[in-house]
């Protein structure tokens, strides 16, 4: 076996401890990986940032659609007809849920509270209107006549028919007054908030219209409403 001199061992040790050389290809690949990672992070950040900005708008739109759908379903779930049980017979009223939703809601709420139970027709004006309510003072219908708005303006009108149901636009302490027209009234919209129409029992309305009254259009014999039944269909 050949003998290795100390000088040879020293030279061999220096060669093993020398730094390894890194090729240019390896450096390029490492840099490329770093760039790809950075671009991926930036793209991911932009994606989630954009999504977070759009999410509240999408959520609001969904909420509004749900609210509108709920309102529509609620509207169509409400009764569409009311049957007035009067001392002269029954009057069937079709409610204008689309045309007068707020007044119809108020009317339905009062019906459920039996507000109209025992309500008298306290003013009856032939060829004009009958008025029911709990007020004891001057009726709105009588007030209209005393201001000269009855015979001077009472004419056939294609816009306003008889047997319309409404309540007074006047805000006072008499509560919810109920009016049923017995003839076309040209200036009806100036006086009443119309929320329905009698589709059955017109003869009952006319019978109430024919009761004897005093000089203030108050019936001499009591006539009134016993109660109101609500119906979805008739």
């Amino acid at each position: 076996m050949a003998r290795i001199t100390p000088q040879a061992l020293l030279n061999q040790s220096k060669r093993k401890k020398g730094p390894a050389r890194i090729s240019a290809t390896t450096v390029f690949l490492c840099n490329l990986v770093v760039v790809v990672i950075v671009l991926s992070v930036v793209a991911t950040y932009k994606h989630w940032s954009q999504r977070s900005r759009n999410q509240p708008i999408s959520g609001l739109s969904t909420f509004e659609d749900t609210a509108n759908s709920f309102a529509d379903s609620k509207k169509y779930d409400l009764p569409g007809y009311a049957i007035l049980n009067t001392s002269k017979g029954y009057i069937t009223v079709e409610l204008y849920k689309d045309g007068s939703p707020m007044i119809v809601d108020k009317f339905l709420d009062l019906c459920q509270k039996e507000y109209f139970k025992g309500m008298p027709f306290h003013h009856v004006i032939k060829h004009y209107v009958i008025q029911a309510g709990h007020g004891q003072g001057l009726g709105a219908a009588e007030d209209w006549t005393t201001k000269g708005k009855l015979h001077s303006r009472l004419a056939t009108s294609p816009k306003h028919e008889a047997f319309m149901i409404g309540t007074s636009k006047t805000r006072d302490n008499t509560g919810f007054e109920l009016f049923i027209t017995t003839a076309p009234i040209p200036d009806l919209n100036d006086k009443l908030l119309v929320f329905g129409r009698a589709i059955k029992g017109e003869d009952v309305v006319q019978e109430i219209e024919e009761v004897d009254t005093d000089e203030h259009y108050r019936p001499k014999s009591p006539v009134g409403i016993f109660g109101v039944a609500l119906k979805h269909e008739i």
Side-chain angles (χ1 to χ4, degrees):
M1 182 174 178
R3 183 179 179 184
I4 301 174
T5 64
Q7 186 63 37
L9 289 173
L10 180 61
N11 292 336
Q12 185 178 1
S13 175
K14 289 182 178 179
R15 286 198 299 271
K16 289 182 179 181
K17 292 181 180 180
R21 297 182 59 184
I22 301 176
S23 65
T25 302
T26 302
V27 173
F28 173 77
L29 290 176
C30 290
N31 291 336
L32 181 60
V33 170
V34 172
V35 171
V36 170
I37 293 174
V38 171
L39 291 177
S40 298
V41 171
V42 172
T44 303
Y45 172 79
K46 288 183 177 180
H47 170 73
W48 286 105
S49 176
Q50 184 69 24
R51 182 173 180 179
S52 63
R53 286 195 297 267
N54 293 337
Q55 189 67 28
I57 299 176
S58 176
L60 179 60
S61 175
T62 302
F63 174 78
E64 290 177 348
D65 292 342
T66 303
N68 292 335
S69 298
F70 176 77
D72 291 340
S73 63
K74 179 183 177 181
K75 178 176 65 177
Y76 289 106
D77 284 342
L78 295 175
Y81 302 91
I83 301 177
L84 309 182
N85 181 12
T86 76
S87 53
K88 297 294 184 180
Y90 294 94
I91 303 171
T92 301
V93 177
E94 179 185 7
L95 302 175
Y96 295 161
K97 295 189 294 183
D98 293 330
S100 305
M102 295 181 63
I103 302 300
V104 169
D105 283 348
K106 178 65 175 178
F107 174 77
L108 295 175
D109 181 61
L110 292 174
C111 287
Q112 293 173 348
K113 295 177 179 177
E114 297 187 342
Y115 175 82
F116 299 100
K117 185 177 182 179
M119 175 180 284
F121 286 98
H122 56 72
H123 282 81
V124 175
I125 306 176
K126 291 182 180 180
H127 310 300
Y128 193 54
V129 69
I130 59 177
Q131 178 184 357
H134 293 299
Q136 299 298 323
L138 180 69
E142 182 184 355
D143 183 49
W144 298 338
T145 64
T146 58
K147 292 180 180 179
K149 294 184 179 180
L150 176 56
H151 298 292
S152 63
R153 298 188 65 177
L154 187 57
T156 301
S157 170
K159 296 181 180 179
H160 305 110
E161 303 176 3
F163 309 114
M164 307 302 288
I165 313 296
T167 188
S168 176
K169 286 186 174 181
T170 305
R171 300 295 181 183
D172 51 31
N173 296 323
T174 58
F176 193 99
E177 298 280 297
L178 194 64
F179 295 80
I180 305 177
T181 63
T182 61
I185 302 177
D187 54 348
L188 180 65
N189 285 341
D190 296 335
K191 298 177 173 69
L192 298 179
L193 296 169
V194 176
F195 63 90
R197 179 187 178 189
I199 58 174
K200 289 179 65 177
E202 295 93 332
D203 57 327
V204 176
V205 176
Q206 293 171 336
E207 189 173 349
I208 297 174
E209 181 188 26
E210 293 297 326
V211 300
D212 292 333
T213 62
D214 61 18
E215 65 274 15
H216 296 291
Y217 308 103
R218 292 191 290 257
K220 293 181 179 180
S221 299
V223 57
I225 301 172
F226 294 144
V228 181
L230 302 176
K231 301 288 184 180
H232 285 85
E233 297 179 355
I234 57 172

